[in-house]
Amino acid sequence: MTSLKLFLLILLAVIAQLGIFAAIAFYRHWVSYEKIKRQLSGMEAAPETGAVESISAPVSTSAALWQGTRNFRVQRKIFEDKNHSICSFYLVPEDGQPLPTFKPGQYLTFQFNISDPVTPTPRKVIRCYTLSEQPRSDYYRITVKKVPPPENKPNIPAGDSSSYLHEQVQEGAILAAKAPGGHFYLADEVREPIVLIAGGIGITPMLSMLHAALQDDPHREIWFFYGVRNSSEHIMKEHIQELASKHENLQLHVCYSRADENDVEGVDYQHAARVDIKLLRLTLPIKQFQFYICGPKPMMETIVPALENWGVPEHQIHYETFGPASITRHEKPAAVSVEPITVTFRKSGKSLQWDDSFSCLLEFAEDNGIEINSGCRAGSCGTCQTMIELGEVEYSQEPDVDLEASTCLLCVAIPKTNLTLSA
Ligand SMILES: Cc1cc2nc3c(=O)[nH]c(=O)nc-3n(C[C@H](O)[C@H](O)[C@H](O)COP(=O)(O)OP(=O)(O)OC[C@H]3O[C@@H](n4cnc5c(N)ncnc54)[C@H](O)[C@@H]3O)c2cc1C
Ligand code: FES
């Protein structure tokens, strides 16, 4: 071989190598470009399982909360439990724009138009569903339990919107939702150790808080108590166990109240009991915690007052109920010299003396057999807006919605004077 031939061969090899490097670089660049493009258009695929795979998530700090409703496409629908009674919906914005951030624990308020063979004319139903992941800009996730008829009335229809979501809403469907709202969320300005207590589907805000807390500060002390009947209702089991094994700062305590014969204590769950104050007192070290609680009415009605009796200050106990569950906290001091206030519900034909032990007019009405539509029960969705015909109300917490003239939100209002409401 002549030296010219050798030179040409080496040159060819160098050119070929450069070509390969350039092709690899171009391919990598193209892959990351496509990824960013998908993220921006809200099309980033949601994880395969119902669980969140990564603790870090893309977050948009600039996107603003929207007014009215925004359309979301159901990108993915995944059952989360053995019974197929709990289902997650991954929602991407139809407009493809990044989603605003929210506070872990907040919810979306949906307006569904539901029709079925029995009632073919669509009816508007408003319901709230908590965002069950930490904030991210490419999709939101909700996790919904199908609500069966009450045990003592098996012949009445199951829950309206939860049945609609489970049975009629498939991947590709469009749902309209108001922007995230709500007052039950992880207080990020306080970096104290936290105790998250979830019962049944009350786990949804805790999942969001748990992920956000781990992402935010991998060393923050977190105690997670989760009560369900048994493994058939245990949602995202492997995922939560994996988080606990990866994060030394996360103490997981799963309680089965009716473990079935195949459930193994120490493997599937830690305690054959309900989550109650006895367990909390036996397990938690003595220190300052922020408590976050969400679960069924009986659990909330026992745990919240029990924590107060244990000496936990009121401002360290944060809770939310998913339905009509008023919680009697400490006895209120007897009111000093107050004029009795009369509340008249005109359509219902009832005039009643206001009882100070109720935290809002909505609970007062329900307790007196007056039916009022409600959604969030926290002044955010506007469902309980009611006309004031006479008198004035005051608010325990300012409403998040713009109210029409001469109306009030019964879920956050109490009477200031004698009152006549249209309901
Ligand atoms: C802030 C907030 C966050 C929430 N987050 C979540 C969440 O993350 N996940 C979740 O699954 N849920 C959540 N919820 C609850 C959710 O909003 C709904 O209340 C729940 O899904 C039930 O609604 P539904 O329309 O299916 O049932 P509904 O139609 O409201 O029925 C509820 C129950 O009443 C029964 N019923 C219906 N008609 C009658 C009648 N005439 N007499 C007696 N009983 C009757 C039904 O059979 C059913 O058992 C949240 C609620 C709030 C307020
Ligand atoms: S129930 Fe939502 S504002 Fe009152």
Side-chain angles (χ1 to χ4, degrees):
M1 185 181 295
T2 64
S3 49
L4 180 68
K5 271 189 187 165
L6 187 66
F7 172 73
L8 285 176
L9 216 66
I10 293 171
L11 191 69
L12 219 72
V14 170
I15 291 171
Q17 239 175 8
L18 284 174
I20 290 169
F21 282 141
I24 290 172
F26 174 77
Y27 176 72
R28 283 192 180 149
H29 183 75
W30 179 75
V31 167
S32 73
Y33 169 76
E34 283 297 309
K35 193 172 175 210
I36 290 165
K37 209 168 84 179
R38 277 201 308 274
Q39 280 180 355
L40 285 177
S41 64
M43 291 294 294
E44 180 69 82
E48 278 302 317
T49 71
V52 187
E53 281 172 350
S54 153
I55 286 297
S56 61
V59 182
S60 167
T61 46
S62 58
L65 293 178
W66 61 94
Q67 295 297 314
T69 59
R70 184 167 175 182
N71 279 352
F72 286 84
R73 191 165 44 76
V74 178
Q75 188 195 51
R76 196 177 284 271
K77 179 178 174 185
I78 294 170
F79 286 100
E80 302 285 11
D81 62 335
K82 282 193 208 161
N83 283 348
H84 279 203
S85 64
I86 295 170
C87 188
S88 282
F89 297 81
Y90 290 82
L91 308 172
V92 295
E94 202 185 24
D95 58 24
Q97 296 304 306
L99 292 167
T101 188
F102 59 88
K103 295 184 170 156
Q106 290 191 309
Y107 53 82
L108 294 177
T109 301
F110 290 85
Q111 288 184 2
F112 302 118
N113 283 311
I114 304 181
S115 59
D116 50 48
V118 186
T119 45
T121 316
R123 56 194 186 280
K124 193 168 128 186
V125 180
I126 296 177
R127 291 287 184 274
C128 305
Y129 290 102
T130 305
L131 292 153
S132 60
E133 259 196 56
Q134 79 269 44
R136 45 186 304 145
S137 58
D138 47 357
Y139 67 83
Y140 286 152
R141 183 182 70 182
I142 57 166
T143 303
V144 178
K145 177 181 176 167
K146 187 174 171 191
V147 179
E151 274 174 17
N152 57 348
K153 292 181 187 166
N155 297 326
I156 66 165
D160 220 4
S161 53
S162 57
S163 303
Y164 167 72
L165 284 164
H166 273 247
E167 289 159 15
Q168 295 191 42
V169 173
Q170 306 304 342
E171 289 175 4
I174 300 291
L175 301 176
K178 289 190 185 178
H183 302 277
F184 176 65
Y185 51 78
L186 189 65
D188 46 12
E189 68 279 9
V190 194
R191 291 294 164 90
E192 279 166 354
I194 49 175
V195 180
L196 307 176
I197 304 172
I201 192 62
I203 194 172
T204 53
M206 303 307 160
L207 287 171
S208 182
M209 292 184 193
L210 175 64
H211 286 103
L214 288 173
Q215 175 176 309
D216 207 32
D217 176 359
H219 305 294
R220 186 173 187 177
E221 188 176 335
I222 305 171
W223 292 76
F224 191 5
F225 294 86
Y226 174 33
V228 282
R229 244 177 286 197
N230 50 46
S231 56
S232 65
E233 295 179 356
H234 191 161
I235 75 165
M236 298 184 198
K237 183 173 154 199
E238 286 76 24
H239 172 64
I240 298 171
Q241 284 178 345
E242 198 188 321
L243 283 180
S245 67
K246 275 192 192 155
H247 296 269
E248 275 180 10
N249 54 321
L250 170 60
Q251 305 297 325
L252 178 62
H253 291 266
V254 177
C255 301
Y256 283 3
S257 58
R258 269 187 253 164
D260 75 26
E261 54 190 15
N262 296 321
D263 296 336
V264 181
E265 191 166 347
V267 177
D268 299 300
Y269 64 102
Q270 282 72 44
H271 309 276
R274 292 179 195 283
V275 185
D276 60 12
I277 192 70
K278 204 169 123 205
L279 176 67
L280 297 177
R281 292 184 74 148
L282 280 173
T283 325
L284 291 172
I286 306 282
K287 63 165 75 166
Q288 185 110 319
F289 286 107
Q290 293 289 329
F291 288 84
Y292 294 86
I293 311 150
C294 185
K297 187 173 174 171
M299 178 181 137
M300 306 293 291
E301 282 179 335
T302 53
I303 288 190
V304 173
L307 282 172
E308 288 181 340
N309 289 336
W310 188 21
V312 181
E314 211 172 284
H315 68 270
Q316 285 172 221
I317 307 172
H318 316 263
Y319 63 87
E320 180 169 76
T321 55
F322 283 174
S326 58
I327 293 168
T328 314
R329 301 185 74 149
H330 272 318
E331 291 290 305
K332 288 190 181 173
V336 199
S337 90
V338 270
E339 288 278 306
I341 288 179
T342 304
V343 183
T344 303
F345 294 90
R346 189 183 42 78
K347 275 191 209 143
S348 315
K350 291 190 179 174
S351 258
L352 306 157
Q353 189 168 324
W354 168 249
D355 178 345
D356 244 359
S357 65
F358 288 94
S359 63
C360 64
L361 279 156
L362 179 62
E363 283 174 8
F364 179 65
E366 285 170 340
D367 199 67
N368 285 290
I370 298 161
E371 268 190 37
I372 309 274
N373 283 338
S374 66
C376 63
R377 307 178 75 89
S380 297
C381 71
T383 313
C384 66
Q385 188 168 175
T386 302
M387 189 68 77
I388 301 176
E389 295 183 347
L390 204 74
E392 280 178 65
V393 295
E394 57 191 350
Y395 288 105
S396 52
Q397 135 195 327
E398 275 309 304
D400 292 334
V401 285
D402 291 332
L403 289 176
E404 286 165 32
S406 306
T407 64
C408 68
L409 293 183
L410 297 187
C411 67
V412 282
I414 57 169
K416 197 172 171 186
T417 62
N418 287 339
L419 196 64
T420 303
L421 296 165
S422 62

